[in-house]
Amino acid sequence: MAAASGSMLLRNIMGHLGVRTVFRRLSWLQNTPSAFLLQPKQLLFRICSTEAGQAESAKQAALETESRFKEKPWEYLESEEYIEKYGSSPVWLGYRRNHKGPIPPQKTRKTCIRGRHICANPCPICRDQNLFLDYRNVKLLEQFMCPHTGITYHPNRTGICMRRYKQLNLAIQKAQDNGLLFFHIPFISFRGEDYSNQHPAVTTTPPSPALLNKTAWYDWYDWQQPPEKEIALLRRIYKDYLKEESGPP
């Protein structure tokens, strides 16, 4: 049924445009390899079908958006495409976020990509589909770290969104755990005087006066005789329960 309708449409097209025009437009088939040539029925159906064209365009768009550096993202930083685009400068250098008014926003975006919607001016990582925050991509991670202290640059400086910033921190931690990035440990010089008891600051602690006099450390630790009125009141209240009385030792 589809082949019959396709042949009828092709006849109508040939009737309006002419046989020479149709075969002139299909002359590109001579230069194509035989493996890509379709059968006549399939060719007629594909020419006259809009669904097949939409499916092929969707597949082509998916192939265009998928990066060839996904498995090995570190190869992109050594390619001619990256050198021509960024040169020797970091990927975030010169980035400026679009904003309303003269005062720029104090915080970066939460994310640049929400489902199929992409913001107008994505961050330096989201705008390039060949950049991947992988722990093995050391050269890219080093661009977001201070070479002197090893601290990760704040997103307000690099301009990346908060979603990519979290992925960046996880990738840096994983790279350090695997030995691909080094830890910055501050140098501290230890002096032997700080750990010896020969300098004047370290002496024997004298005993307290209470220990010398053999008295209590605090005054309320000593025995204090309660008032006679309170003793008489307690004896009157608990006279049925008192069996023997004992004074202070």
Side-chain angles (χ1 to χ4, degrees):
M1 186 69 183
S5 60
S7 60
M8 292 176 63
L9 289 173
L10 184 61
R11 289 176 184 175
N12 295 332
I13 293 171
M14 293 175 66
H16 289 288
L17 298 178
V19 180
R20 294 183 180 180
T21 306
V22 172
F23 282 98
R24 192 184 299 115
R25 293 187 179 185
L26 297 177
S27 61
W28 57 272
L29 292 172
Q30 298 177 0
N31 299 325
T32 57
S34 59
F36 294 95
L37 291 177
L38 301 174
Q39 296 180 2
K41 294 182 180 180
Q42 296 178 354
L43 180 62
L44 293 174
F45 180 71
R46 294 231 173 172
I47 290 175
C48 304
S49 176
T50 57
E51 295 180 357
Q54 292 177 0
E56 289 179 357
S57 61
K59 290 182 180 179
Q60 185 177 2
L63 291 174
E64 291 177 356
T65 55
E66 187 177 358
S67 176
R68 56 191 174 94
F69 300 101
K70 187 174 182 180
E71 299 297 332
K72 298 180 179 179
W74 55 88
E75 294 182 354
Y76 173 62
L77 277 75
E78 300 176 356
S79 62
E80 296 181 358
E81 181 182 357
Y82 175 85
I83 296 173
E84 183 180 357
K85 190 173 183 179
Y86 300 102
S88 59
S89 58
V91 296
W92 52 267
L93 188 65
Y95 172 77
R96 182 179 180 273
R97 176 184 170 184
N98 295 340
H99 58 85
K100 296 181 180 179
I103 301 175
Q106 301 299 320
K107 295 182 180 180
T108 58
R109 298 187 186 94
K110 292 184 178 180
T111 179
C112 299
I113 303 173
R114 297 180 183 273
R116 296 184 179 180
H117 176 71
I118 304 176
C119 62
N121 187 19
C123 68
I125 300 296
C126 296
R127 68 183 177 182
D128 196 342
Q129 63 178 0
N130 295 324
L131 292 176
F132 295 94
L133 294 173
D134 196 306
Y135 74 97
R136 298 168 295 178
N137 198 359
V138 180
K139 291 185 178 180
L140 179 62
L141 301 180
E142 288 179 346
Q143 296 181 7
F144 295 89
M145 298 174 61
C146 179
H148 306 289
T149 60
I151 300 175
T152 307
Y153 290 136
H154 198 270
N156 292 342
R157 179 174 181 179
T158 57
I160 60 176
C161 58
M162 297 306 299
R163 180 183 178 185
R164 297 296 183 183
Y165 181 67
K166 294 178 181 178
Q167 295 177 0
L168 175 66
N169 288 331
L170 293 176
I172 290 175
Q173 292 177 5
K174 191 172 182 180
Q176 291 175 347
D177 293 340
N178 287 272
L180 302 178
L181 287 176
F182 55 87
F183 291 88
H184 288 265
I185 302 175
F187 177 75
I188 300 176
S189 60
F190 296 96
R191 298 181 301 175
E193 300 177 356
D194 298 337
Y195 298 93
S196 65
N197 57 356
Q198 302 299 325
H199 54 87
V202 178
T203 57
T204 57
T205 304
S208 63
L211 295 177
L212 293 175
N213 301 332
K214 295 182 179 181
T215 57
W217 191 273
Y218 297 103
D219 297 337
W220 55 83
Y221 282 181
D222 290 332
W223 170 258
Q224 295 181 3
Q225 183 66 24
E228 293 294 337
K229 291 183 178 180
E230 294 183 2
I231 294 174
L233 179 61
L234 292 174
R235 284 178 178 175
R236 187 169 59 252
I237 294 173
Y238 299 102
K239 62 181 180 179
D240 298 334
Y241 305 98
L242 295 175
K243 295 181 179 180
E244 59 181 16
E245 296 180 0
S246 60

